């Protein structure tokens, strides 16, 4: 069982607000990922990190930004939320030399 | 380039019957293959993986998958479906020859519906 946490689980917010989605893992994993899951259920990689102070953009362009100041923490920020950002956001991590990614429970974001 | 195909958007099966969820892949090197399951409003849960060795891989909840190199497939199977198996299933692949930086590529998902 993976120890990876996401907060909040659900968030409903108005257009223009700044939001931060939290992701933390207690496994000491160096690699962390953010995926956006659209209503059609496809997963799209939007950000990843291979360690502290390392962040890269994923395959799907996103207006969000991420930071990796501590190994265990990989927050995602939207400076100005829009209805098009409504989606489920999934965080995942993978350990050094390991093959398997483990996922958090997700944050379902609704922007009105 | 890596890719994964799950040709069926939905699979319907009666409880007690065997189930198969199909997955084919394309990688230039050795494939690392994974199956995940997602229940409503939850994250993805790891089921099983193939890295090397025996082509038949056993995983959680009675699921298994067979790696077929010639057909580039990694179909998920279970001998007897349960209603509680109803969920969204994702196949994923990573090129094992690409090093640690290679990303995991997911299929589009297959919704499994098990009827009582």
């Amino acid at each position: 069982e993976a120890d990876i946490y996401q907060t909040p689980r659900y968030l409903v917010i108005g257009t223009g607000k700044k939001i931060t989605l939290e992701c933390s893992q207690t496994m000491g994993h160096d690699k962390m990922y953010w995926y956006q899951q659209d209503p059609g259920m496809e997963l799209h990689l939007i950000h990843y990190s291979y360690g502290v102070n390392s962040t890269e953009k994923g395959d799907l362009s996103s207006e969000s930004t991420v930071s990796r100041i501590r190994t265990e923490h990989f927050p995602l920020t939207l400076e100005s939320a829009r209805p098009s950002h409504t989606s489920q956001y999934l965080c995942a991590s993978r350990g050094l030399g390991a093959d398997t990614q483990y996922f958090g429970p997700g944050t379902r974001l609704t922007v009105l | 380039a890596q890719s994964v195909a799950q040709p069926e958007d939905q699979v319907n099966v009666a409880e007690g019957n065997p189930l198969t969820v199909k997955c084919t892949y394309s990688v230039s090197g050795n494939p690392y293959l994974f199956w995940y399951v997602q229940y409503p409003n939850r994250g993805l849960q790891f089921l099983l993986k193939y890295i090397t060795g025996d082509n038949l891989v056993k995983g959680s909840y009675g699921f298994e998958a067979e790696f077929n190199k010639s057909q580039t497939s990694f179909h998920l199977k279970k001998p007897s479906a349960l209603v509680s198996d109803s969920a969204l299933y994702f196949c994923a692949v990573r090129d094992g020859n690409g090093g640690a930086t290679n990303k995991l590529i997911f299929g589009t998902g297959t919704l499994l519906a098990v009827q009582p």
Side-chain angles (χ1 to χ4, degrees):
Chain A
E1 196 69 26
D3 294 321
I4 180 165
Y5 309 98
Q6 290 186 245
T7 57
R9 291 294 315 279
Y10 303 91
L11 181 61
V12 180
I13 202 161
T15 296
K17 299 291 186 183
K18 177 180 179 179
I19 59 167
T20 296
L21 308 185
E22 301 288 349
C23 176
S24 295
Q25 48 92 9
T26 58
M27 300 169 285
H29 286 176
D30 56 335
K31 300 173 187 63
M32 296 188 75
Y33 309 84
W34 275 104
Y35 292 86
Q36 184 173 337
Q37 188 173 26
D38 59 24
M41 296 301 177
E42 283 192 54
L43 285 159
H44 302 285
L45 181 67
I46 52 175
H47 298 284
Y48 60 100
S49 167
Y50 289 141
V52 171
N53 294 326
S54 149
T55 61
E56 301 286 345
K57 289 193 178 295
D59 304 320
L60 180 69
S61 175
S62 173
E63 293 165 347
S64 58
T65 59
V66 292
S67 62
R68 190 87 183 276
I69 298 171
R70 304 198 318 264
T71 297
E72 63 270 22
H73 195 212
F74 191 40
L76 181 147
T77 299
L78 275 167
E79 290 292 333
S80 180
R82 294 207 303 269
S84 60
H85 296 138
T86 294
S87 191
Q88 165 129 291
Y89 292 85
L90 294 169
C91 182
S93 71
R94 179 161 71 98
L96 182 65
D99 302 308
T100 305
Q101 278 187 29
Y102 293 97
F103 282 80
T107 295
R108 182 164 294 281
L109 173 66
T110 302
V111 184
L112 303 175
Chain B
Q2 305 167 187
S3 67
V4 178
Q6 292 182 245
E8 301 152 317
D9 290 336
Q10 182 162 336
V11 169
N12 298 306
V13 64
E15 188 173 33
N17 282 3
L19 70 87
T20 298
V21 182
K22 295 179 181 176
C23 172
T24 58
Y25 66 89
S26 173
V27 295
S28 55
N30 289 326
Y32 287 13
L33 293 154
F34 303 82
W35 276 102
Y36 288 84
V37 60
Q38 186 178 31
Y39 297 99
N41 296 315
R42 303 291 296 275
L44 272 66
Q45 220 173 304
F46 169 70
L47 271 181
L48 51 79
K49 66 181 177 184
Y50 171 84
I51 305 299
T52 186
D54 195 349
N55 289 347
L56 185 63
V57 179
K58 294 189 182 297
S60 306
Y61 313 121
F63 283 94
E64 58 190 27
E66 186 165 12
F67 170 63
N68 188 317
K69 187 173 183 178
S70 62
Q71 297 184 6
T72 61
S73 67
F74 190 57
H75 301 330
L76 182 70
K77 301 183 180 186
K78 188 173 182 181
S80 179
L82 299 172
V83 172
S84 58
D85 293 330
S86 300
L88 188 59
Y89 290 81
F90 288 95
C91 182
V93 69
R94 183 162 70 87
D95 187 337
N97 287 8
T101 58
N102 262 19
K103 299 186 288 290
L104 199 57
I105 303 300
F106 285 88
T108 51
T110 298
L111 186 64
L112 174 66
V114 182
Q115 282 87 38

